[in-house]
Amino acid sequence: MNSLRRGFHGRRGGAAAVGLLALVLTVVTAGCGSSKSTSAPNFSANDLAKTASTNWVTNGGSTWNQRYSSLGEIDTTNVSKLKGIWRTHLNGSGTAAKYSGESQPIVYNGVIYITTGNDDVSAVSVDTGKILWEHKSNISQKISTVCCGWLNRGVAIGDGRVYLGQLDGKVVALDQKTGNPIWTRQLVQWQKGQTITGPPLYMDGKIYVGVVGADFGGRSFLEAMDAKTGTSVWRFWTIPGPNEPGGDTWPSGTNAYINGGAAVWSTPAYDKNLNLLYITTGNAGNDWFGGNRPGDNLYAASIVAIDATSGKVKWHFQEVHHDIWDYDTPSPAVLFDAKSNGNTIQGIGAPGKTGWLYLLDRATGKPLYGIDETPVPQDAQQKTAKTQPIPRTGEFIPHTPPTAAEIARVKRERTGPSVKVPVVVAKTMFTPPTTDKMLIYSPGPQGGNNWEPSSYNQDTQMFYVCSAWQTVGVQSGNFPFVEGKGFAGVAAISGISFAESKGTLTAIDATSGKTVWQKSWPEPCYSGTVTTAGGLVFVGRNAGQLQAYDAKSGNLLWSFQTGAGANDTATVFEQKGKERIAFLSAGNSLAATAHGDSLWLFGLDGTMGPAAAPGAGKGTQHKGETGGTSTAANGKAVFAANCAVCHGALGTGGNGGPDLTTIAAAKITAKVVSQVTNGGNGMPAFKGQLTAKQIDAVATYVSGTITKKK
């Protein structure tokens, strides 16, 4: 998974010993009422298969990942009356520009469990909004192998513990009542390019955790762990070894599979009757150059069914063979049963960055409505796949060539040696990028659908999918693997930044794959969706609004300003007989939205009105931003919090941002000031986000320190 502003460094990491964590982590208790909280039980598969109602105990609402609530007090007739009950600030955690607020709240018996982009965890009283306890991760701020912004997408709960994976590669279990650490396991090493961002799944005394790191040359996996101790039960490698099923889709006699990628970004779904876990996987490594990995490269860019007992693959469906476009599937798979012509469709759906919703039979992995292996353009150097699977239905963005204006912009914003490289415009999907030309293509590496979860409504039998629509120019590069460095296979990238992309919110009929309604937005749709028995779909907007749409018609029914980028996913539950909605408003790094630290609670009996609309980048202040004199020392702090997420900690290339040491203009302070202030070439403007002194300081640091590194 990549982007115009994405990280590229690193490799695989092995499991380490399990031990107690006592001195390194900090727990702060605050507020009141913690004694009233009750510990979650050892949730069984039967418990978790039930549709979400009073509580919201898994990231997806249930193990079906539908993000559907059976509650209906709030419906199409009264949602316009929804107001805030309380707004709690999470003590400023994760508000710098490098962070993203993507943690869906977990709710159990009157307590909300929420994380921030810094891997800090808070338990918050539903009744009062007061923080009952706060667990500080104290993770190193020197982690340099984070792909797509510093983020954590949530926790799991079960058997009296709260579980999370961290950016430093640790899996941590906390006491649910106190937040005190019970155990920790160093599952992977960030120094080798692997981190954890997705929420674990707790079920029947185990937790299931996915590992990422494809953009740094890592080989990813799903780990089943004993929830009491953190010890391993089994491990499923998403890139098979030479003697394993699928291993023959990688070149024999090489170690290409070791750096093969296929990150697991999201929480697995589970079918208790089939005893199958379902995951979606990321791109193959490296992202844009496939010449050293001939073959389909399983199980990258795939939907994979895994036997929950043994950890062995049952079936797979690969959305993109031999991916060289960064067309992975980071969004979680969703299970559904739909009625059609007297029959029950037992399906699974997952949207991809390709811009299609893939609908399959979840027992077999066979397409429900037709997906055709279609010949595609070829390139000998890239070892391209001869065909790609093209769905007949499920399209949620246009698959049309870039416009003249988009082509002109990509050409105009090229820098360095790429200015002299010939340009090729993709007329069809899956036109291969090459090392000697810049390919202008759409959709770009942000999709389509990215991490943002889709929802499924049991009443309308529709999926609700968020997406972006972006055009980029990419020149591939054949670069060797170096541990701790980027492994993206890109020599140059140019075009529309993700924050400037268009977006769609689309309702798709699960019984046919056809679009029922669609909303087109001038900005990306970069929030998860949640849907309810009240006939509603909740979704966030980049400008800060949490909105509710009629699930059947798509009509906008309610909009509420939360005060920061509304880039998270809402949670619906019941407290003392009344329906509630919890939402984290914290902004997003890749979407370049205003940052904050607000956890909101909404209800029909709320009295709080909307917050003030955020300005550009409001809420991005952070420790170390002194606003002092324009010295390289001050500039280093500003760079770490605002620029490293794109350009890497050392400025040598990160989240799609170029290596600053290779850009002549970066050596001239005045030109850096202009670029940071006004943006352009895929970079957002920081005017209004940083003060003039901060911009001057970071420009001094870039021109005087970063560009002088050897």
Side-chain angles (χ1 to χ4, degrees):
M1 176 182 163
N2 219 300
S3 79
L4 283 177
R5 310 186 318 118
R6 269 273 297 282
F8 312 134
H9 309 208
R11 200 183 174 189
R12 66 194 185 285
V18 177
L20 293 176
L21 191 67
L23 300 177
V24 182
L25 302 170
T26 303
V27 175
V28 179
T29 58
C32 58
S34 59
S35 61
K36 297 180 181 179
S37 65
T38 56
S39 295
N42 179 1
F43 291 117
S44 68
N46 286 330
D47 296 330
L48 299 177
K50 297 175 183 176
T51 300
S53 57
T54 302
N55 294 308
W56 192 279
V57 296
T58 73
N59 188 255
S62 72
T63 48
W64 290 51
N65 275 352
Q66 290 182 345
R67 287 173 171 79
Y68 169 79
S69 170
S70 62
L71 300 178
E73 178 195 4
I74 303 171
D75 60 23
T76 57
T77 68
N78 60 22
V79 68
S80 61
K81 300 176 183 178
L82 204 59
K83 288 187 177 180
I85 296 173
W86 50 252
R87 178 189 187 187
T88 293
H89 292 282
L90 301 178
N91 295 326
S93 176
T95 56
K98 70 180 182 180
Y99 295 108
S100 293
E102 298 178 3
S103 173
Q104 183 159 9
I106 296 295
V107 183
Y108 183 72
N109 285 5
V111 180
I112 299 172
Y113 303 92
I114 190 76
T115 61
T116 70
N118 198 55
D119 291 331
D120 299 332
V121 187
S122 294
V124 181
S125 168
V126 173
D127 284 337
T128 66
K130 290 186 177 181
I131 297 175
L132 304 176
W133 56 256
E134 182 182 20
H135 163 79
K136 292 286 190 181
S137 68
N138 294 324
I139 59 173
S140 171
Q141 298 302 298
K142 296 182 180 180
I143 298 174
S144 59
T145 53
V146 176
C147 161
C148 312
W150 285 49
L151 58 94
N152 182 289
R153 291 179 178 141
V155 301
I157 60 172
D159 202 14
R161 292 178 287 272
V162 178
Y163 310 88
L164 75 153
Q166 298 186 164
L167 290 172
D168 59 4
K170 295 175 182 176
V171 181
V172 180
L174 309 174
D175 185 285
Q176 188 178 348
K177 289 187 176 181
T178 66
N180 292 322
I182 296 175
W183 59 257
T184 182
R185 178 180 174 187
Q186 188 73 53
L187 185 61
V188 290
Q189 301 286 338
W190 69 262
Q191 295 88 344
K192 296 183 178 181
Q194 291 189 302
T195 59
I196 306 170
T197 60
L201 171 66
Y202 175 94
M203 185 173 65
D204 286 326
K206 301 182 185 68
I207 58 171
Y208 302 88
V209 181
V211 167
V212 304
D215 306 292
F216 305 95
R219 182 189 181 201
S220 297
F221 56 86
L222 179 72
E223 186 89 354
M225 304 168 67
D226 185 295
K228 289 185 178 180
T229 64
T231 55
S232 180
V233 178
W234 53 252
R235 175 176 295 184
F236 172 74
W237 292 100
T238 54
I239 299 296
N243 298 318
E244 297 173 337
D248 58 355
T249 65
W250 290 83
S252 62
T254 75
N255 289 326
Y257 75 98
I258 294 294
N259 308 120
V264 181
W265 294 100
S266 56
T267 307
Y270 177 72
D271 184 319
K272 65 184 181 65
N273 294 323
L274 297 172
N275 192 34
L276 292 179
L277 291 160
Y278 302 89
I279 61 171
T280 55
T281 63
N283 55 270
N286 51 34
D287 299 50
W288 276 283
F289 185 76
N292 55 6
R293 50 175 173 87
D296 282 350
N297 304 142
L298 293 176
Y299 298 98
S302 297
I303 304 168
V304 186
I306 304 166
D307 184 281
T309 303
S310 66
K312 303 297 184 182
V313 63
K314 178 71 173 182
W315 60 256
H316 75 275
F317 180 87
Q318 191 172 48
E319 298 176 13
V320 183
H321 309 317
H322 190 76
D323 180 23
I324 51 175
W325 302 270
D326 197 28
Y327 281 162
D328 52 342
T329 307
S331 186
V334 179
L335 311 185
F336 66 95
D337 283 349
K339 300 291 186 180
S340 179
N341 298 320
N343 298 315
T344 299
I345 301 168
Q346 296 182 321
I348 179 173
K353 290 208 284 189
T354 58
W356 285 291
L357 174 65
Y358 296 83
L359 296 168
L360 313 173
D361 183 307
R362 68 174 180 268
T364 66
K366 303 298 183 184
L368 291 175
Y369 310 117
I371 299 177
D372 303 317
E373 287 291 341
T374 305
V376 292
Q378 297 292 294
D379 182 79
Q381 185 189 33
Q382 284 278 32
K383 304 293 194 299
T384 42
K386 295 187 184 319
T387 64
Q388 292 289 351
I390 307 292
R392 300 174 195 169
T393 62
E395 182 180 66
F396 53 84
I397 61 170
H399 291 87
T400 53
T403 66
E406 291 167 342
I407 295 169
R409 177 168 178 175
V410 172
K411 291 180 177 179
R412 183 174 65 250
E413 295 189 349
R414 290 180 294 167
T415 59
S418 68
V419 173
K420 298 180 180 180
V421 172
V423 167
V424 173
V425 178
K427 302 298 183 183
T428 62
M429 282 285 291
F430 302 114
T431 299
T434 62
T435 57
D436 58 348
K437 298 180 179 65
M438 175 167 280
L439 175 73
I440 302 177
Y441 71 103
S442 178
Q446 283 292 354
N449 174 265
N450 201 303
W451 72 275
E452 55 272 19
S454 298
S455 58
Y456 173 81
N457 190 298
Q458 296 176 11
D459 305 308
T460 66
Q461 299 191 143
M462 296 179 198
F463 277 79
Y464 303 96
V465 183
C466 252
S467 71
W469 183 18
Q470 171 202 39
T471 295
V472 296
V474 170
Q475 177 188 0
S476 297
N478 182 10
F479 304 112
F481 168 77
V482 179
E483 187 174 276
K485 299 295 182 181
F487 197 56
V490 60
I493 191 165
S494 177
I496 300 171
S497 71
F498 176 58
E500 299 173 292
S501 304
K502 298 182 286 289
T504 60
L505 171 64
T506 309
I508 298 175
D509 186 344
T511 67
S512 66
K514 295 180 179 179
T515 296
V516 179
W517 56 259
Q518 185 175 79
K519 298 296 176 182
S520 296
W521 296 348
E523 83 278 5
C525 184
Y526 208 59
S527 157
T529 66
V530 162
T531 186
T532 73
L536 300 171
V537 178
F538 290 93
V539 66
R541 300 290 293 267
N542 285 2
Q545 306 96 331
L546 178 61
Q547 296 183 331
Y549 290 81
D550 187 305
K552 291 183 179 179
S553 68
N555 292 332
L556 176 63
L557 302 176
W558 174 76
S559 186
F560 188 97
Q561 177 56 249
T562 65
N567 302 115
D568 196 23
T569 309
T571 286
V572 183
F573 64 99
E574 189 175 76
Q575 175 77 351
K576 296 179 180 178
K578 295 183 179 181
E579 186 174 346
R580 301 296 190 220
I581 297 165
F583 186 76
L584 176 66
S585 170
N588 189 274
S589 176
L590 290 186
T593 58
H595 283 63
D597 68 342
S598 295
L599 178 64
W600 285 87
L601 188 73
F602 298 97
L604 292 176
D605 55 343
T607 59
M608 292 181 64
K618 185 177 180 180
T620 58
Q621 295 303 308
H622 56 87
K623 295 177 182 178
E625 273 195 9
T626 62
T629 57
S630 300
T631 65
N634 291 335
K636 182 177 181 179
V638 179
F639 186 92
N642 297 277
C643 313
V645 66
C646 306
H647 296 286
L650 302 178
T652 54
N655 284 338
D659 181 349
L660 297 175
T661 65
T662 65
I663 299 176
K667 300 178 181 179
I668 304 171
T669 304
K671 290 189 176 182
V672 179
V673 168
S674 177
Q675 178 70 19
V676 174
T677 302
N678 302 313
N681 194 26
M683 175 177 163
F686 281 84
K687 183 178 182 180
Q689 300 187 52
L690 301 177
T691 66
K693 287 184 177 180
Q694 289 168 336
I695 292 175
D696 197 26
V698 75
T700 300
Y701 174 65
V702 169
S703 62
T705 302
I706 284 181
T707 60
K708 293 187 170 22
K709 294 176 181 177
K710 297 182 180 179

